[in-house]
Amino acid sequence: MRHHTREELHTVAGIHRDADHHPLTRDERVARWAELLEQDPDRALVTLQETEYQPDIIRDEMREDGSPITIAFKDPVLRGEGLTNDSYGEAKRFFEFTDCQLHYIVCSCHSGVTVRGDAAAERVRDVAKPHPGLTGMLWDALLIFR
């Protein structure tokens, strides 16, 4: 077996880095997720059941095939940016959302067992808007009861 440095492997394998590539900002990642959800606005996406009642360790591992988070994970660009799976905890980390914000997007208590793609996109955009200070805290609280 022959060992190669990373640079040698790029030459041998014919891999070329895009010199102009810059990592997506948080706002760009969130906007891309919303756009992906809007590509099929009538699609019924599966919600996560009662995320607010789960202990952190359980909630972070929650996932459902066909959820709004699954749509993000299927995107090669978002995976290339570091989205490693379609769990609640990974979406929270990757999109830099609070539990309150992600709960509003994916929890069943807001739309039932499923949510339409366009409605999920609207929720993603709603929570991503900057809401500084006390206004932001009140907005986050309002989203829970919406």
Side-chain angles (χ1 to χ4, degrees), residues 69 72-73 78-85 90-91 93-95:
I69 303 168
F73 182 62
L78 293 179
R79 283 196 321 272
E81 290 293 319
L83 184 61
T84 60
N85 64 51
E90 177 61 5
R93 178 200 67 81
F94 182 75
F95 293 109

Side-chain angles (χ1 to χ4, degrees), residues 90-102:
E90 177 61 5
K92 181 179 159 186
R93 178 200 67 81
F94 182 75
F95 293 109
E96 301 176 35
F97 283 137
T98 64
D99 280 312
C100 182
Q101 292 170 320
L102 193 56

Side-chain angles (χ1 to χ4, degrees), residues 103-128:
H103 167 263
Y104 177 63
I105 297 168
V106 302
C107 190
S108 63
C109 68
H110 294 288
S111 60
V113 178
T114 62
V115 62
R116 287 173 43 111
D118 57 352
E122 183 178 332
R123 289 179 184 179
V124 168
R125 287 195 173 99
D126 281 349
V127 300

Side-chain angles (χ1 to χ4, degrees), residues 26-90:
R26 182 248 188 195
D27 290 344
E28 291 169 331
R29 293 190 309 266
V30 169
R32 184 164 182 92
W33 186 19
E35 290 165 4
L36 292 166
L37 292 166
E38 286 177 330
Q39 286 178 356
D40 190 353
D42 297 323
R43 174 179 22 204
L45 299 168
V46 179
T47 57
L48 303 181
Q49 299 299 305
E50 300 181 340
T51 64
E52 70 273 29
Y53 297 117
Q54 305 303 321
D56 290 349
I57 194 159
I58 301 296
R59 181 175 45 238
D60 285 348
E61 296 298 318
M62 290 178 76
R63 63 163 306 280
E64 288 289 340
D65 290 334
S67 76
I69 303 168
T70 302
I71 301 305
F73 182 62
K74 287 182 177 181
D75 180 50
V77 172
L78 293 179
R79 283 196 321 272
E81 290 293 319
L83 184 61
T84 60
N85 64 51
D86 65 348
S87 70
Y88 179 99
E90 177 61 5

